[in-house]
C-alpha cells in the first residue's frame, strides 16, 4: 500500500523547521493588537448551512458559484465548509442577540477557511485568516479604525512594503445607478467579454470589474467610475474617511476600479497589497469593507451597519521578514543509570516534572540509553543546561549541573538547582 498524502492545496505545518512557532507568534501578535483596539475573539464552527453563504456572500460570486466545499450530512442537510468568516460571525451575532446587549460590537477571529481554488503560491484550498469586524457603527470613524488596525498589525509583523487601496461602492441607490451605467457600457461589447463576464452582464455586472480574465482587461480599464455614481451622503462618508486616515497617518490610494469579490459590500471597500514582490500574483494581503445590508439579508429586523477585514495568514508569513528566533532556555535531565535502575530513572522524571512546575522547559530522553546518547540528544535539542542524576546524587539529594555553552560543571543540592534554573528561565523570557 502506498503512503497517503494531504489533500492538494491543504498544508501541514511542522514544528521542526520553526513553521508552527512563526504561526503562533503571528497569532499572538494579532490577538495583542486586537485587544489594544478593543476587539474580542469570537469562534464559530468550521461548517455552516450552505444557505448562509449563498445569502451572505452572494449567489453570483466566484466563491459561491465555483469554490465552495459543500456536502450533505447524514441528516440530509446541505452544509458548506466556511469560505470566509464574515457571514458566520454575523449569523452568530444575530443568533445570540449580541446587539441587544451591546450597541457596538468589536469582534476578531482567526482560523481555517476553505475554497476550492487552483492551488498556487499564496493560494490554498485550506487557508487561514485573521479578521476583525465592527457591528452597530455606521460612522466613517469606525472605517478608519478598522483600516488603522489592519495597517498597525502589518507594521507589527514588519511588513512595510504595502499599499492600502480604497474605494466607495456607495449605498443601494448609487449601486443601482452604477449597475445601469455598467450595463449600458458593456452591452455593446458583449462579444468581446469572457464567457463568465458575458453571463454576469445582466445578473451582476459589478463582478466583471473583478475579473482576472485577460479578455476583459481592455474593456474594464475604460469602464465608468463608481465614484461618479455616488450620492451626496456616500460622498461625504468617503471624504470623511479619507480625512481620518490622513489624521491617523495611514497612507492610501483611492482606486475607483476596486470592487472586491464578495457581494455584501456597501460604501467603503479596501484592500492592502504587498508591493515587495515576494508574493507573486497572490499579492493581496488584506480585503475588507462595509456591509451595511448583510444583517438584514441574514434575517435581522433592524438594519445593523458593519465593517471589517480579513487577511490570509499564509500570505502574511510569506511577506513578513523572518528574524532569527531567540534560542529558548531549556534544561535536559540526564539519568546516569542503567535501564534496570528504576529509582534513578523515576527520580529523573520527577526532577523534570518539578522543573516544569516551576516554569522551566525541561526534557528527559525517556528512552534512557547510555549517558553519552542522552547527552548528545540534549545537545541536539539546544539545551542550555543539563542536570545529571545518578545513584549517588539521588541518595544525597544533589544534582550535577552542566552549562552547555562553557562546559562548566558543579554539584549542588537538588532544591537549589530548581530555584536557580527557575530564576534564569524567568529572566530569559
Ligand atoms: P477575501 O478578500 O475573500 O475577503 O479574503 C481576505 C484575504 O484572505 C485575502 O486578501 C487573502 O489574503 C486571503 N485569502 C483569500 N483566499 C485565499 C486562498 N485561497 N489562499 C490563501 N489566502 C487567501 C473576505 O474573506 C472577507 N470576509 C473580508 C471581510 C471581513 N470583509 C468584511 N469583513
Amino acid at each position: 500500500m502506498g503512503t497517503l498524502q494531504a489533500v492538494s492545496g491543504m498544508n501541514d505545518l511542522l514544528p521542526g523547521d520553526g513553521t508552527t512557532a512563526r504561526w503562533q507568534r503571528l497569532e499572538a501578535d494579532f490577538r495583542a493588537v486586537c485587544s489594544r483596539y478593543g476587539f474580542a475573539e469570537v469562534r464559530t464552527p468550521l461548517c455552516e448551512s450552505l444557505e448562509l453563504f449563498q445569502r451572505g456572500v452572494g449567489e453570483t460570486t466566484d466563491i459561491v458559484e465555483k469554490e465552495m466545499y459543500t456536502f450533505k450530512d447524514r441528516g440530509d442537510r446541505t452544509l458548506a465548509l466556511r469560505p470566509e468568516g464574515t457571514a458566520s460571525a454575523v449569523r452568530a451575532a444575530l443568533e445570540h442577540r449580541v446587539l441587544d446587549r451591546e450597541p457596538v460590537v468589536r469582534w476578531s477571529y482567526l482560523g481555517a477557511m476553505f475554497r476550492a481554488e487552483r492551488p498556487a503560491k499564496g493560494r490554498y484550498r485550506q487557508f487561514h485568516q485573521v479578521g476583525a469586524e465592527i457591528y452597530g457603527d455606521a460612522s466613517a470613524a469606525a472605517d478608519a479604525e478598522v483600516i488603522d488596525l489592519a495597517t498597525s498589525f502589518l507594521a507589527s509583523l514588519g511588513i512595510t512594503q504595502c499599499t492600502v487601496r480604497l474605494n466607495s461602492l456607495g449605498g443601494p441607490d448609487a449601486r443601482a445607478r452604477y449597475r445601469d451605467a455598467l450595463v449600458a457600457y458593456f452591452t455593446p461589447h458583449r462579444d468581446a467579454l469572457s464567457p463568465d463576464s458575458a453571463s454576469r452582464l445582466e445578473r451582476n455586472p459589478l463582478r466583471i470589474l473583478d475579473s482576472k480574465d485577460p479578455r476583459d482587461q481592455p474593456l474594464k480599464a475604460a469602464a465608468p467610475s463608481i465614484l461618479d455614481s455616488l450620492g451626496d451622503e456616500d460622498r461625504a462618508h468617503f471624504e470623511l474617511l479619507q480625512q481620518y486616515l490622513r489624521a491617523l497617518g495611514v497612507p492610501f490610494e483611492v482606486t475607483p476600479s476596486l470592487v472586491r469579490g464578495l457581494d455584501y459590500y456597501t460604501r467603503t471597500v479596501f484592500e492592502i497589497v504587498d508591493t515587495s514582490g515576494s508574493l507573486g500574483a497572490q499579492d493581496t494581503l488584506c480585503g475588507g469593507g462595509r456591509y451595511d445590508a448583510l444583517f438584514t439579508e441574514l434575517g435581522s429586523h433592524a438594519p445593523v451597519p458593519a465593517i471589517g477585514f480579513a487577511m490570509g495568514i499564509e500570505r502574511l508569513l510569506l511577506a513578513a521578514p523572518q528574524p532569527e528566533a531567540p534560542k529558548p532556555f531549556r534544561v535536559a535531565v540526564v539519568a546516569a543509570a542503567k535501564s534496570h535502575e528504576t529509582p534513578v530513572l523515576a527520580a529523573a522524571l520527577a526532577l523534570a516534572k518539578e522543573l516544569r512546575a516551576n516554569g522551566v522547559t525541561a526534557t528527559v530522553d525517556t528512552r534512557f540509553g547510555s549517558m553519552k546518547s542522552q547527552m548528545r540528544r540534549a545537545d541536539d535539542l539546544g539545551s542550555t543546561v543539563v542536570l545529571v542524576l545518578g545513584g549517588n546524587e539521588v541518595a544525597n539529594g544533589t544534582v550535577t549541573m552542566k552549562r552547555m555553552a562553557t562546559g562548566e560543571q558543579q554539584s549542588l543540592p537538588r532544591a537549589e538547582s530548581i530555584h536557580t534554573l527557575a530564576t534564569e528561565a524567568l529572566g530569559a523570557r
Side-chain angles (χ1 to χ4, degrees), residues 161-178:
Q161 288 177 274
C162 57
T163 304
V164 178
R165 293 190 184 141
L166 192 64
N167 193 22
S168 175
L169 301 180
D173 293 348
R175 281 283 274 277
R177 277 195 295 276
Y178 188 50

Side-chain angles (χ1 to χ4, degrees), residues 84 86 109 115 117 122-124 127 129 133 260 262 264-265 284-289 291 308-312 315:
E84 57 107 54
T86 307
Y109 52 87
R115 296 184 195 176
E117 297 190 76
R123 187 172 61 207
Y124 310 102
F127 62 101
Q129 286 185 340
E133 318 279 350
R260 311 260 309 112
L262 301 95
Y264 45 59
Y265 293 115
T284 310
L285 297 171
C286 173
Y291 45 97
F309 70 78
M311 304 188 188
R315 293 187 192 178

